[in-house]
Amino acid sequence: MAIEQKIVMVMVALFRFIPIAGAQNGGYSTAHASNWSFHFQTTVIAQQHSGFKSPYRGDNSLADTVEPSAQSLTATLFIGRRLWKGAAVYFNPEVSGGKGLSSAAGVAGALNGETYRVGAVQPQVFIARAYLQQHFRLGDASEAVTDDVNQVGGHLPSSRITVSAGKFSIDDFYDNNAYAKDPRTQFFNWSVWANSAWDYPANTRGYTEGVVVELIKPKYAIRFSTVAVPEIANYHLMEYNINAHSETIEFEHKLQFGKRSGTIRCSASGTYSRAPSYKEGIDALASKDTFLLNVIRGASENTSFGGHKYGLGLNVDQELNDNLGVFCRVGWNDGRYATWAFTEVDRTVSGGLVSKGAKWKRPGDVVGIAAVVNAISPEHRDFLAGGGYGFILGDGRLHYGHEAILEAYYNARLNRFFQLTVDYQFVNNPGYNKDRGPVHVFGLRGHIMF
């Protein structure tokens, strides 16, 4: 039986048979709080890009001609139930369909955060998340938490240890940012809403299984996780082997400049998988070893373990006034081994400004602008220049230059449940290639949440 099926069976048993914790249970007050949490979201994105001059293209190139509009759709049901003292279980069925421009290939800072490198474009139903979360009290003080997505409302200890185990996106817990985190309501581009140099472990749709342990205090938090990695690059099945795993640690500290709040987060990660090194890939190009080349591009399973990738991240958001905020990210990984799960970025710097619309009497609206510069390691660069392919990039050759992206969006809140966004992205040197681009990308997004 697949591990996902086992997790779902456990979740169903918990929903049906575990008694609900009552109010004032061991200091975990549930007064004025429901024992259930139900939320729903659906997001539709349509994008189109301009044509541009290009002397050549490869299998993973962004099309240099104007493509038909590419659409994506996701719909998610967020179910949560309070269990025994300090515990809750969360279950998220999801529907996802559609595709990105050029099948989400050709740009390392991919253009639509709601699309993935999947072959099927028809909507498919799957289990996005199914996990148990337990809080352990460390002090007497409590704080109120509102009912929200994967959060049952009530009261939690202000100082606590939280353990989450099951299926989830590891990105749910790490690299948070007040202004650039959610492609359903904020920036579209992968390199803006995430540290794209963090090749975070996930299946094709962005989910994994494992355990996250968090020490949460009023002013700071420390979290550590160990999770599964894919069997094959950009694959839907995960590896359950002692030689394949990924660990991440993050330190989070709340900032206070005057009366304005902010947060700084520092992270480190290590991933162990079947990924070959780019040096092996360069040798395979010379020897025409198609098997190893297919492993790197995600078309074959490697016969041995040994890939390891280490990375660091810095993430800051800061409120400037009641309506304006600023953010930045810096990410780095060693770039020696093939990208295995997220995207082909080894170094990244991003930053931007976000403003609410209070000044033009639209307080629920948000406008944002951000810039990104992405780079890759020398080994990665030589592999692509020699005609190699990853699962995101590959023009058949490469005249290297840093990939630079500018994104701006306007998100209009039309009513309590519905938001409409217009988005523009300018990409210079798509796929790190000076011979191709620049390209203009236009997007429209509709988002329903309740």
Side-chain angles (χ1 to χ4, degrees), residues 19-34:
I20 305 294
Q24 300 297 333
N25 188 351
Y28 292 83
S29 171
T30 59
H32 311 295
S34 170

Side-chain angles (χ1 to χ4, degrees), residues 100-118:
L101 292 164
S102 297
S103 300
V107 183
L111 303 169
N112 179 353
E114 284 283 87
T115 58
Y116 311 94
R117 292 285 287 139
V118 295

Side-chain angles (χ1 to χ4, degrees), residues 32 58 81 98 110 168 217 286 311 318-319 342 346 364 374 404 408 450:
H32 311 295
R81 181 174 177 174
F168 42 71
K217 305 288 282 186
Q318 178 62 51
E319 183 184 55
F342 190 40
D346 300 325
N374 293 326
F450 56 84

Side-chain angles (χ1 to χ4, degrees), residues 266-306:
C266 302
S267 62
S269 61
T271 298
Y272 305 85
S273 68
R274 296 179 185 265
S277 70
Y278 285 116
K279 184 178 183 305
E280 291 177 285
I282 294 167
D283 293 340
L285 288 169
S287 64
K288 295 182 172 54
D289 182 350
T290 56
F291 172 77
L292 190 63
L293 295 175
N294 282 331
V295 170
I296 295 175
R297 71 189 301 174
S300 297
E301 181 177 0
N302 202 355
T303 56
S304 62
F305 296 94

Side-chain angles (χ1 to χ4, degrees), residues 31 67 85 90 92 96 118-119 121 126 163 221 224 229 234 238 266-267 286 301 307 330 332 341 402-403 415:
E67 298 180 71
K85 181 173 69 175
Y90 298 102
N92 297 172
S96 177
V118 295
V121 298
F126 56 94
V163 179
F224 175 80
V229 301
N234 187 49
M238 306 302 283
C266 302
S267 62
E301 181 177 0
V330 179
W332 172 92
H402 293 345
E403 183 181 83
N415 59 43

